[in-house]
Amino acid sequence: MPDFTDNLKPRYDGTATLQAERDASSINVDELAKHLLSRNGFLERQQRVLNVLSKEKLFNKDQLLNLSRPDRYYLGLARSKAIQRIGRKLGWDDEDYKMAEYLNDEMSPYHLHTTMFVTTVREQGSEEQKAYWLPKITNFDIIGCYAQTELGHGSNVRGLETVAKWDPERKEFEIHSPHLTASKWWNGAMGRTATHAIVVAQLLLPKQGKAHEYENHGPQPFIVQIRAEKTHQPMDGIVVGDIGPKYGYASMDNGYMLFDHYRVLKSALLSRYVDVSDDGKFTRHGHPAVLYGSLTFVRANIIMHARLILARAVTVAVRYLAIRRQFRDRDSTNEQEDEMKVLDYPTVQIRILPLLATTFALHYTGEYMYMLYQRSRETIEKGDFGPLAELHSASSGLKSLCTMLAADSIETCRRAMGGHGFGGGSGLVLINADYLSKPTVEGDNWMITQQVAAYLIKKMTQAVKNPNNKAKDPTDVLFQTYLQTRSSRTPKTIVSSSGIDDEAIVDAFQWRAADLSYRAYQARVVEKKPWTKLMVQLHNLSRAYSEQILVTNFYSSFETTSSPLSAPTPAVLRRCFRLYSLYTLDTFASSFTLTNAVTAESTYALLDAILELMTELRPHAVKLVDAWSIPDWLLDSALGRSDGKVYEDLYDRAHRRNPLNKITFNPDYRSEEIVLGSGDGGRDLLAKL
Amino acid sequence: MPDFTDNLKPRYDGTATLQAERDASSINVDELAKHLLSRNGFLERQQRVLNVLSKEKLFNKDQLLNLSRPDRYYLGLARSKAIQRIGRKLGWDDEDYKMAEYLNDEMSPYHLHTTMFVTTVREQGSEEQKAYWLPKITNFDIIGCYAQTELGHGSNVRGLETVAKWDPERKEFEIHSPHLTASKWWNGAMGRTATHAIVVAQLLLPKQGKAHEYENHGPQPFIVQIRAEKTHQPMDGIVVGDIGPKYGYASMDNGYMLFDHYRVLKSALLSRYVDVSDDGKFTRHGHPAVLYGSLTFVRANIIMHARLILARAVTVAVRYLAIRRQFRDRDSTNEQEDEMKVLDYPTVQIRILPLLATTFALHYTGEYMYMLYQRSRETIEKGDFGPLAELHSASSGLKSLCTMLAADSIETCRRAMGGHGFGGGSGLVLINADYLSKPTVEGDNWMITQQVAAYLIKKMTQAVKNPNNKAKDPTDVLFQTYLQTRSSRTPKTIVSSSGIDDEAIVDAFQWRAADLSYRAYQARVVEKKPWTKLMVQLHNLSRAYSEQILVTNFYSSFETTSSPLSAPTPAVLRRCFRLYSLYTLDTFASSFTLTNAVTAESTYALLDAILELMTELRPHAVKLVDAWSIPDWLLDSALGRSDGKVYEDLYDRAHRRNPLNKITFNPDYRSEEIVLGSGDGGRDLLAKL
């Protein structure tokens, strides 16, 4: 319905504002985008899949925030099914399907089927099992999930309560849930979608020669049908369902499942690495180290994904805050002067620009992880598992650090955007709700840092024992150098009147990580302190170690003899390196001075240096986020639109796309009627409660 | 439907675990609860109102996370209306209604009517206006909202674009929205509920003697009918509606509104302090300083509310983490040993226990603010507005600090709870979504710190000029002492082998705040640096100043000659004081050493001292959160239940209360049918997109 607001314009034109921002920087956005996003043909694939999905009404994002949680699952399933139909018609490959899930931006009820379920069968199934199951999986004749985590146990897999007991008479396993806390819990796609599950259960075999006594051979994977083919009802002896609404993942049916002496054939045990003979004897064969390899690959993906999440939050913030104006300069005497762009406030810059710099820090380390993974695959295939421990440790620490940085960044950006940041037009509501799972899944961010610290203590112990051993891993080199120069160390000056010393930055991060490792070694190995007492220090150590990796790899990216990037991009990226590094250094200044990495005076100069760097980066901010190439359709953000039509879009969402405005309510408390003229008395609603 | 899971129990009994926790501490919970929550009969009122609401089906919280946003508003309105009917029947007073809204835990569509709308009419209306409007308001014959913020302007009220132009011929105002960004925006209850609004608009009066030229007399409040009485449709010349879904506040209809030369009578201008004569002349009368008084009172309320939000998040976390077990002690050699309680991990304690300590820090400062407010009201009524500036400044800085601490605490607690923290059973999903508005509303947390810094610079300038002036406000005393001892200052040792020095803690926080104030004075007044360049330092100054207030007031609570609390509570609270203080000191160690407040060596000892304090506080954690007396019904948390039935409740929510489990889906991508056997093809869903 037309009205007088149809032709109103915002006071300042957002489109012209963003154009002016772009004109003021000479960064070549296309070139930088290709530099960042060419792996596996990312940019081309993104455009191609986007063209398909964005044209389908089913994938319209308009009403997502207005749907109930049950409707969100319903929609999520409908979309996942449509993606399969579309992809098969267009001949998509695996990467195309992944891109479709990324752009659709919801956890798919098929997600576990196409990842953990198929991977586990492929990696842990015997040749016979693979021949039987893989065609069914690829064909979607069955739909699988991965049932490991339980109500009572997540991180501690060895503590799982579900048991699979061998019945020597019938040559079958009996899967059983002895307690309520044995219930499988959280397992994606299990709630309503899956027909089959990989069930991880404690393998109990009779003790040889002893009746009714069992020996536990630890958690092992079983492939189990959980729902009947035609009716999709749970099999007898299984209770399974969806666990209900969560912070995010509304489209995903995370499930619970319990077993009542549920019997499965011997062939249910995935038996590439373990097996049970017909007379109940346990055997192991092969080396499951390759499993760590795929875990490491998953974590490298998480880092690369984290940088895109960060980039997305920062894209919204930078574009909106470059358009938003509020208050004239406090020192201005010109009453007619325009209000300042909010992004010109240092109090806003300090929340946003270090995060923008962080996107690049994550990028170069993600690339490094892929390279390491590739290299280690080659050595593993030759039977050398040596580099795997270093790779696994680095990937654990980085998973913890990077997902925390990305998760925190969304809320930081949102808050920096003031009122409109709290609105649905921010485009950050759903991404925040979904992404907040990441600090917990795939290894809790605080728990896995303990593994990193254990590795570093082991490495330091070796370095102390054999200071001149031939160093193999980067950590060996770092620790040996540290031990050799320890006695002559003087803290470095990072920032001085002659500028910022980039090599000193890298040195400071490396030194701090090595020194904290040495302190941990001293406390644990020499003084034999209880592990539990040291946990906080060890967590801090893992963070310092991971920050050192980010800083080192970022710095290494400048070392190529000729940059593939044209001016001024290399210089701008170097400022990003400095900003990320100095901002991190400032946040943990005390840790850097404690370890003699830098002088205390040097830390007092950091804030001014950071403010100066931000002033230098500010003109390039819009083009830097442009380079991350997040499509408007994915952003789904009025504030972050690439064309700057912030206020037009916010108004359109409110005035033309809000179903609540189609209903007239009765606000008079004397009447029980809620919708005016309906005489309903709220009965429909009460039925839902 | 009964099934084999009905009689399953969790492996560890949560109820017995919490009982053991409570038995292990001799804190008198009732006594501490009364100490914390007696103001205005809080505890008695909470119980009384809880008894009423929790029995009504309409207020059942079970399905909240499963409702769509339109349904949430529908429910919010139904509940608000019911509360009015119940309250009138039971003769509730204002505090009872507030308690009902607190326990119902949703922003009410009547909220603005009973707060800003009525307060503005009462404080800014003339006697005649009050006589006309207040009975209608009290009687809910009209329902009001407060329309100040616009699409383009929030913090900068002077930049509002809506105009109210005086028409000298018809003696009326014409309210008009010249741009799209002039649209009123965010205004609570305006979207669907309100019949009337206080509209804040730039008052334009004709320049005397000049035709068609107008003078702007700044933003002024007008009371305006926005919807017709019977039809509840917008008045002609007004476009008004709900802005759509947001992060939180689903039950509230935040609105937008534009005016097309909308005419209102002269009497629409609230004219206690300003008026326009019939011949278009502007007059001011009276002193509107009292308005700052009520703003200050609102902010004292925000601090007291923030402590309850913190308490709520910490209650859930402490109870759940005391029950949750994961991993045996790494150094344990006993294979049969129970897994550790997660709350016994220092890596978990360091996230939760400082927040528990913070609840008390906020409490004593909230009490102090009420006392100051009361005292300043008395002097204001005598015509002395002197103490108002100090009170306003303190309340601004504290609003910023306390709402940030509380907002961040929810996510910190959630993340510390691992997987189940991400589930709906945490009880933190909705409170987080709603509370995240607080860092922005009632003065953006970063923006208002600039006002605090401006005040401190002014005070320091006065202190430098007149070092022996009779000090009036606490800040005068602080700054004069600082200036007198500045030259002889030596940094203090907080933690040493002889223990923790509480007086040195208070001194360090005060010294740091004063020194940062002096640096700000030096940069701004002496070196005349641009304000904008100093903003980050000034923000940090405000935080330091506010932290000093929290520490000082917490410490003062120990100074009464005899504590009203029995042992061991006073000693436990002192440990909370130390933990809050040392944790804050450690976080900003660099700022404390820079200002010569403490020695660098002293900061290196902080972590060990913090770990030790946490070990001492750990046995009292459950009873300390018990004392905050958050009802289970309000917590609505499986994890935070006072009876410890964590797993039973999680399972009940999933298995018995989840509507998604009543539907059987068709997961086969080859079929467009979504609900199995319905042949629906997703048509119902597509209609909602």
Side-chain angles (χ1 to χ4, degrees):
Chain A
M1 219 167 60
D3 60 50
F4 70 85
T5 66
D6 290 347
N7 298 314
L8 283 178
K9 303 254 175 283
R11 181 153 166 209
Y12 298 105
D13 181 11
T15 305
T17 304
L18 281 195
Q19 192 54 54
E21 289 277 342
R22 288 170 179 135
D23 292 344
S25 161
S26 49
I27 286 179
N28 183 333
V29 169
D30 284 347
E31 182 193 73
L32 180 56
K34 279 187 197 126
H35 171 72
L36 296 168
L37 300 164
S38 286
R39 175 177 290 278
N40 276 330
F42 184 94
L43 277 177
E44 173 279 324
R45 193 186 313 275
Q46 173 168 276
Q47 193 54 52
R48 184 163 43 80
V49 175
L50 180 69
N51 285 344
V52 175
L53 292 192
S54 60
K55 286 192 188 97
E56 300 274 338
K57 167 116 201 255
L58 183 64
F59 293 90
N60 189 334
K61 295 172 194 266
D62 261 16
Q63 292 301 320
L64 277 186
L65 291 174
N66 278 318
L67 295 183
S68 70
R69 196 265 150 163
D71 274 354
R72 286 292 308 282
Y73 168 72
Y74 187 118
L75 177 65
L77 181 61
R79 285 175 169 177
S80 291
K81 290 168 67 158
I83 284 174
Q84 285 300 319
R85 292 194 295 269
I86 293 168
R88 278 157 207 263
K89 204 172 96 191
L90 299 178
W92 279 356
D93 63 15
D94 278 1
E95 291 293 319
D96 292 333
Y97 282 107
K98 276 185 210 160
M99 179 59 79
E101 198 176 342
Y102 167 68
L103 292 173
N104 182 45
D105 200 27
E106 291 181 323
M107 279 302 275
S108 160
Y110 289 163
H111 182 79
L112 276 295
H113 179 73
T114 57
T115 55
M116 280 299 279
F117 186 69
V118 67
T119 306
T120 306
V121 173
R122 195 178 289 136
E123 294 188 346
Q124 303 195 51
S126 66
E127 290 306 317
E128 202 183 340
Q129 286 170 324
K130 285 196 279 187
Y132 180 80
W133 289 110
L134 287 178
K136 290 183 200 294
I137 295 172
T138 313
N139 207 27
F140 279 58
D141 292 334
I142 64 170
I143 295 170
C145 62
Y146 185 80
Q148 177 173 301
T149 300
E150 296 177 354
L151 187 52
H153 284 88
S155 295
N156 184 14
V157 179
R158 295 203 63 84
L160 292 177
E161 297 174 37
T162 305
V163 292
K165 199 190 270 187
W166 177 249
D167 177 344
E169 323 257 292
R170 294 169 60 172
K171 316 283 184 212
E172 289 174 354
F173 296 105
E174 196 185 271
I175 302 183
H176 186 61
S177 314
H179 310 107
L180 190 63
T181 35
S183 176
K184 293 296 170 186
W185 202 268
W186 272 120
N187 327 94
M190 195 169 77
R192 302 276 81 199
T193 315
T195 62
H196 288 65
I198 306 289
V199 176
V200 180
Q202 304 283 359
L203 174 61
L204 300 185
L205 299 178
K207 276 195 184 162
Q208 297 295 323
K210 304 204 179 177
H212 309 300
E213 276 190 50
Y214 288 85
E215 187 169 5
N216 185 352
H217 293 272
Q220 304 294 348
F222 298 82
I223 184 163
V224 178
Q225 181 172 0
I226 61 170
R227 285 188 172 93
E229 208 163 328
K230 289 267 153 64
T231 65
H232 204 57
Q233 291 300 311
M235 308 295 280
D236 279 347
I238 291 183
V239 158
V240 58
D242 175 276
I243 62 168
K246 302 143 290 190
Y247 256 74
Y249 284 10
S251 57
M252 172 64 96
D253 53 322
N254 297 89
Y256 63 93
M257 179 160 63
L258 294 113
F259 301 91
D260 182 23
H261 303 282
Y262 186 74
R263 292 185 159 267
V264 295
L265 298 177
K266 177 166 170 284
S267 59
L269 176 65
L270 291 180
S271 51
R272 175 166 175 186
Y273 296 111
V274 296
D275 209 352
V276 173
S277 64
D278 276 354
D279 59 346
K281 269 189 202 137
F282 183 71
T283 52
R284 277 189 195 278
H285 31 93
H287 197 308
V290 67
L291 301 180
Y292 281 93
S294 48
L295 182 61
T296 303
F297 184 66
V298 166
R299 289 197 174 147
N301 283 336
I302 289 177
I303 297 165
M304 287 308 239
H305 180 243
R307 91 197 197 287
L308 288 179
I309 295 291
L310 254 167
R312 195 160 146 191
V314 172
T315 298
V316 173
V318 163
R319 288 181 183 156
Y320 170 63
L321 295 169
I323 290 168
R324 180 73 172 180
R325 291 170 180 272
Q326 203 80 182
F327 289 110
R328 284 187 299 120
D329 187 328
R330 197 172 169 126
D331 289 326
S332 163
T333 50
N334 175 2
E335 289 268 346
Q336 300 311 311
E337 196 172 79
D338 279 343
E339 291 176 285
M340 281 175 71
K341 290 176 170 182
V342 173
L343 192 57
D344 288 331
Y345 287 107
T347 35
V348 169
Q349 290 175 1
I350 202 150
R351 290 181 277 173
I352 304 302
L353 297 185
L355 296 178
L356 176 55
T358 305
T359 61
F360 300 101
L362 265 56
H363 172 76
Y364 290 109
T365 283
E367 288 289 339
Y368 172 76
M369 292 294 294
Y370 278 136
M371 189 269 288
L372 271 193
Y373 172 73
Q374 210 53 47
R375 200 188 288 167
S376 76
R377 269 200 88 84
E378 288 158 19
T379 64
I380 287 169
E381 274 161 26
K382 288 180 205 142
D384 172 10
F385 300 102
L388 211 53
E390 172 96 358
L391 185 57
H392 181 65
S393 165
S395 74
S396 299
L398 286 165
K399 184 271 170 185
S400 174
L401 176 60
C402 296
T403 57
M404 185 206 62
L405 289 172
D408 291 347
S409 77
I410 305 170
E411 175 61 9
T412 301
C413 287
R414 190 197 70 70
R415 240 180 255 182
M417 296 190 290
H420 291 313
F422 193 70
S426 67
L428 299 181
V429 177
L430 295 177
I431 187 190
N432 189 55
D434 285 351
Y435 197 79
L436 287 185
S437 64
K438 297 294 183 211
T440 303
V441 298
E442 308 282 352
D444 178 89
N445 274 4
W446 282 68
M447 196 272 298
I448 56 176
T449 56
Q450 302 296 308
Q451 302 168 3
V452 181
Y455 175 78
L456 295 175
I457 290 173
K458 195 174 133 200
K459 280 283 182 183
M460 184 56 84
T461 310
Q462 289 170 359
V464 169
K465 274 190 190 149
N466 303 301
N468 299 311
N469 216 18
K470 199 182 146 214
K472 278 183 173 171
D473 297 315
T475 307
D476 295 322
V477 180
L478 178 65
F479 287 179
Q480 290 183 7
T481 311
Y482 166 82
L483 290 170
Q484 283 152 19
T485 54
R486 203 167 162 259
S487 55
S488 61
R489 173 75 183 186
T490 51
K492 299 288 165 67
T493 296
I494 303 286
V495 182
S496 68
S497 53
S498 57
I500 298 167
D501 183 342
D502 292 349
E503 281 185 28
I505 289 176
V506 178
D507 168 86
F509 276 85
Q510 293 181 344
W511 187 267
R512 165 188 176 235
D515 191 72
L516 292 177
S517 298
Y518 187 80
R519 286 165 190 263
Y521 153 80
Q522 185 73 24
R524 177 66 181 168
V525 179
V526 179
E527 298 167 24
K528 304 208 186 306
K529 289 196 179 159
W531 185 272
T532 301
K533 291 274 171 207
L534 295 172
M535 280 183 150
V536 174
Q537 289 93 324
L538 297 177
H539 177 75
N540 296 343
L541 164 59
S542 170
R543 180 168 183 153
Y545 174 71
S546 306
E547 284 167 346
Q548 169 264 134
I549 296 178
L550 290 184
V551 167
T552 303
N553 288 323
F554 202 161
Y555 185 66
S556 301
S557 75
F558 306 131
E559 282 178 341
T560 49
T561 41
S562 63
S563 170
L565 298 165
S566 56
T569 308
V572 171
L573 288 178
R574 189 175 281 264
R575 290 201 181 98
C576 287
F577 161 77
R578 291 173 172 183
L579 180 56
Y580 168 74
S581 305
L582 297 192
Y583 183 81
T584 306
L585 226 158
D586 189 39
T587 308
F588 300 100
S590 183
S591 155
F592 282 88
T593 57
L594 163 73
T595 54
N596 269 333
V598 303
T599 63
E601 289 63 38
S602 198
T603 66
Y604 301 146
L606 289 170
L607 182 54
D608 281 340
I610 288 166
L611 291 169
E612 178 65 28
L613 280 168
M614 294 197 303
T615 305
E616 291 166 11
L617 274 173
R618 166 67 186 88
H620 304 290
V622 168
K623 277 197 156 177
L624 285 174
V625 301
D626 285 351
W628 282 111
S629 312
I630 316 280
D632 279 343
W633 192 74
L634 175 58
L635 282 177
D636 188 30
S637 167
L639 307 186
R641 287 172 68 107
S642 59
D643 67 2
K645 293 193 182 299
V646 168
Y647 297 114
E648 295 90 328
D649 194 346
L650 283 174
Y651 188 65
D652 196 58
R653 284 164 190 251
H655 193 48
R656 297 184 191 95
R657 300 190 240 157
N658 180 0
L660 199 62
N661 287 332
K662 292 181 184 142
I663 310 166
T664 304
F665 292 89
N666 178 348
D668 185 349
Y669 80 89
R670 296 165 191 90
S671 164
E672 291 202 23
E673 175 190 77
I674 309 298
V675 173
L676 191 72
S678 70
D680 61 359
R683 276 181 303 274
D684 288 357
L685 183 72
L686 274 169
K688 293 186 190 173
L689 295 183
Chain B
M1 220 165 60
D3 60 49
F4 70 83
T5 67
D6 289 347
N7 298 313
L8 284 177
K9 302 256 177 285
R11 181 154 169 210
Y12 298 106
D13 180 11
T15 305
T17 304
L18 282 195
Q19 191 55 54
E21 289 277 344
R22 287 171 180 135
D23 291 345
S25 160
S26 49
I27 285 180
N28 182 333
V29 170
D30 284 347
E31 181 194 73
L32 181 55
K34 279 187 197 123
H35 171 70
L36 297 168
L37 301 163
S38 286
R39 175 176 291 278
N40 276 329
F42 184 94
L43 277 177
E44 173 279 323
R45 192 187 312 275
Q46 175 168 277
Q47 194 54 51
R48 182 162 45 79
V49 175
L50 180 68
N51 285 344
V52 175
L53 292 191
S54 61
K55 286 192 188 99
E56 301 273 339
K57 167 114 200 260
L58 183 64
F59 292 91
N60 189 334
K61 295 171 195 265
D62 260 17
Q63 291 302 320
L64 276 187
L65 291 175
N66 278 317
L67 296 182
S68 71
R69 196 265 150 163
D71 274 354
R72 287 290 310 282
Y73 168 73
Y74 188 118
L75 177 64
L77 181 61
R79 286 175 169 178
S80 292
K81 290 168 67 159
I83 285 175
Q84 285 300 319
R85 291 195 295 269
I86 293 167
R88 278 157 207 264
K89 204 171 98 191
L90 299 178
W92 279 357
D93 64 17
D94 277 1
E95 292 293 319
D96 292 333
Y97 281 107
K98 276 184 209 160
M99 179 59 79
E101 196 175 344
Y102 168 70
L103 292 172
N104 182 45
D105 200 26
E106 292 181 323
M107 278 303 276
S108 160
Y110 289 163
H111 182 78
L112 276 295
H113 178 73
T114 58
T115 53
M116 279 300 279
F117 185 69
V118 66
T119 306
T120 306
V121 172
R122 195 178 289 136
E123 293 188 347
Q124 302 196 50
S126 65
E127 291 306 318
E128 201 183 342
Q129 286 170 325
K130 286 196 278 187
Y132 180 80
W133 290 109
L134 287 179
K136 290 182 200 294
I137 295 171
T138 314
N139 207 27
F140 279 57
D141 293 333
I142 64 171
I143 296 170
C145 62
Y146 185 80
Q148 176 173 300
T149 299
E150 295 176 355
L151 187 52
H153 284 88
S155 295
N156 184 14
V157 178
R158 296 204 62 85
L160 292 177
E161 297 173 37
T162 305
V163 292
K165 198 190 269 187
W166 176 248
D167 178 345
E169 323 256 291
R170 293 169 59 172
K171 315 283 183 210
E172 290 174 353
F173 296 104
E174 195 185 272
I175 301 183
H176 186 63
S177 313
H179 309 105
L180 190 63
T181 35
S183 177
K184 293 296 169 186
W185 201 269
W186 273 119
N187 327 93
M190 194 168 78
R192 304 275 81 199
T193 315
T195 62
H196 288 65
I198 306 288
V199 176
V200 180
Q202 304 284 359
L203 173 61
L204 299 185
L205 299 178
K207 276 195 183 161
Q208 297 297 323
K210 303 206 177 175
H212 309 300
E213 278 190 50
Y214 288 85
E215 188 168 4
N216 185 353
H217 293 273
Q220 304 294 348
F222 298 81
I223 184 164
V224 177
Q225 181 172 359
I226 61 170
R227 285 188 173 92
E229 208 162 331
K230 289 267 154 63
T231 64
H232 205 55
Q233 292 300 311
M235 308 295 280
D236 280 347
I238 291 182
V239 158
V240 58
D242 175 276
I243 62 169
K246 302 143 290 192
Y247 257 73
Y249 285 10
S251 57
M252 172 64 96
D253 54 322
N254 297 89
Y256 64 92
M257 179 161 63
L258 295 113
F259 300 91
D260 182 23
H261 302 281
Y262 186 73
R263 292 186 159 267
V264 296
L265 296 178
K266 179 166 169 283
S267 58
L269 175 65
L270 291 181
S271 50
R272 176 165 173 187
Y273 295 111
V274 297
D275 209 353
V276 173
S277 64
D278 277 354
D279 59 346
K281 270 190 203 138
F282 184 70
T283 52
R284 274 188 198 279
H285 32 93
H287 197 307
V290 67
L291 301 180
Y292 280 94
S294 47
L295 181 62
T296 304
F297 184 67
V298 166
R299 289 197 174 147
N301 283 336
I302 289 176
I303 298 165
M304 288 307 238
H305 180 244
R307 92 199 197 286
L308 287 179
I309 295 292
L310 254 167
R312 195 160 147 191
V314 172
T315 297
V316 173
V318 163
R319 288 182 182 156
Y320 170 63
L321 296 169
I323 291 168
R324 180 73 171 179
R325 290 169 181 273
Q326 204 80 183
F327 290 110
R328 284 187 299 119
D329 187 327
R330 196 172 171 126
D331 289 327
S332 163
T333 51
N334 176 3
E335 288 269 345
Q336 301 311 311
E337 196 172 78
D338 280 343
E339 291 177 284
M340 282 176 69
K341 290 176 171 182
V342 173
L343 192 57
D344 288 331
Y345 287 108
T347 35
V348 168
Q349 290 176 359
I350 202 150
R351 290 181 276 173
I352 305 301
L353 297 186
L355 295 178
L356 175 55
T358 305
T359 61
F360 300 101
L362 265 55
H363 172 75
Y364 291 109
T365 283
E367 289 288 339
Y368 172 76
M369 292 295 293
Y370 279 136
M371 189 269 289
L372 272 193
Y373 172 72
Q374 210 51 48
R375 199 189 288 166
S376 75
R377 269 202 89 82
E378 288 158 20
T379 63
I380 287 168
E381 275 160 26
K382 288 181 205 143
D384 172 11
F385 300 103
L388 211 52
E390 173 96 358
L391 185 58
H392 180 66
S393 166
S395 73
S396 298
L398 287 165
K399 184 270 169 185
S400 173
L401 176 61
C402 297
T403 57
M404 185 206 62
L405 289 172
D408 291 346
S409 76
I410 304 170
E411 174 62 8
T412 301
C413 288
R414 189 196 70 70
R415 241 181 255 183
M417 294 191 291
H420 291 314
F422 193 69
S426 67
L428 298 182
V429 178
L430 295 177
I431 186 191
N432 189 53
D434 286 350
Y435 196 79
L436 287 186
S437 64
K438 297 292 183 210
T440 304
V441 298
E442 309 281 352
D444 177 88
N445 274 4
W446 283 69
M447 195 273 298
I448 57 176
T449 56
Q450 302 297 308
Q451 301 167 4
V452 180
Y455 175 78
L456 295 175
I457 291 173
K458 196 174 134 197
K459 279 283 183 185
M460 184 58 83
T461 310
Q462 288 169 0
V464 170
K465 275 194 191 147
N466 302 301
N468 299 314
N469 217 18
K470 199 181 144 213
K472 279 183 174 173
D473 298 316
T475 307
D476 294 321
V477 180
L478 178 65
F479 288 178
Q480 290 182 7
T481 312
Y482 166 80
L483 290 171
Q484 282 151 20
T485 54
R486 205 168 160 257
S487 55
S488 59
R489 173 76 184 185
T490 50
K492 298 288 164 67
T493 296
I494 303 287
V495 183
S496 68
S497 53
S498 57
I500 296 168
D501 183 341
D502 292 349
E503 281 185 29
I505 288 175
V506 178
D507 168 86
F509 276 84
Q510 292 182 344
W511 187 266
R512 165 187 175 235
D515 191 71
L516 291 177
S517 298
Y518 187 80
R519 285 164 192 264
Y521 152 80
Q522 185 73 22
R524 177 66 181 168
V525 179
V526 181
E527 297 167 23
K528 304 205 185 309
K529 288 194 179 159
W531 186 271
T532 301
K533 291 274 171 207
L534 295 172
M535 280 183 151
V536 174
Q537 289 93 323
L538 298 177
H539 177 75
N540 296 344
L541 164 60
S542 170
R543 179 168 183 153
Y545 173 72
S546 306
E547 283 167 346
Q548 169 266 134
I549 295 177
L550 291 183
V551 168
T552 304
N553 287 323
F554 202 161
Y555 185 66
S556 300
S557 76
F558 307 130
E559 282 178 342
T560 48
T561 41
S562 64
S563 172
L565 298 164
S566 55
T569 307
V572 171
L573 288 178
R574 188 175 282 264
R575 290 202 182 97
C576 287
F577 161 77
R578 290 172 173 183
L579 180 56
Y580 168 75
S581 305
L582 298 193
Y583 183 82
T584 305
L585 226 158
D586 190 40
T587 309
F588 300 100
S590 183
S591 154
F592 283 88
T593 56
L594 164 73
T595 54
N596 269 333
V598 302
T599 63
E601 290 62 38
S602 197
T603 66
Y604 301 147
L606 289 170
L607 182 55
D608 281 340
I610 289 166
L611 291 169
E612 178 65 26
L613 281 168
M614 294 196 304
T615 306
E616 291 166 10
L617 274 174
R618 166 68 186 87
H620 305 290
V622 169
K623 277 196 157 176
L624 285 174
V625 302
D626 284 350
W628 282 112
S629 312
I630 316 280
D632 278 343
W633 193 75
L634 175 59
L635 283 177
D636 188 31
S637 167
L639 308 186
R641 286 172 69 107
S642 58
D643 66 2
K645 293 193 182 298
V646 168
Y647 298 114
E648 295 91 328
D649 195 346
L650 282 174
Y651 188 66
D652 196 59
R653 285 165 190 250
H655 193 48
R656 297 185 191 95
R657 298 190 239 157
N658 180 359
L660 198 63
N661 287 332
K662 293 181 183 143
I663 310 168
T664 304
F665 292 89
N666 179 349
D668 186 348
Y669 79 88
R670 296 166 191 89
S671 165
E672 291 202 21
E673 175 190 78
I674 309 298
V675 173
L676 191 71
S678 71
D680 60 0
R683 276 183 300 275
D684 288 357
L685 183 72
L686 275 169
K688 292 186 191 172
L689 296 183

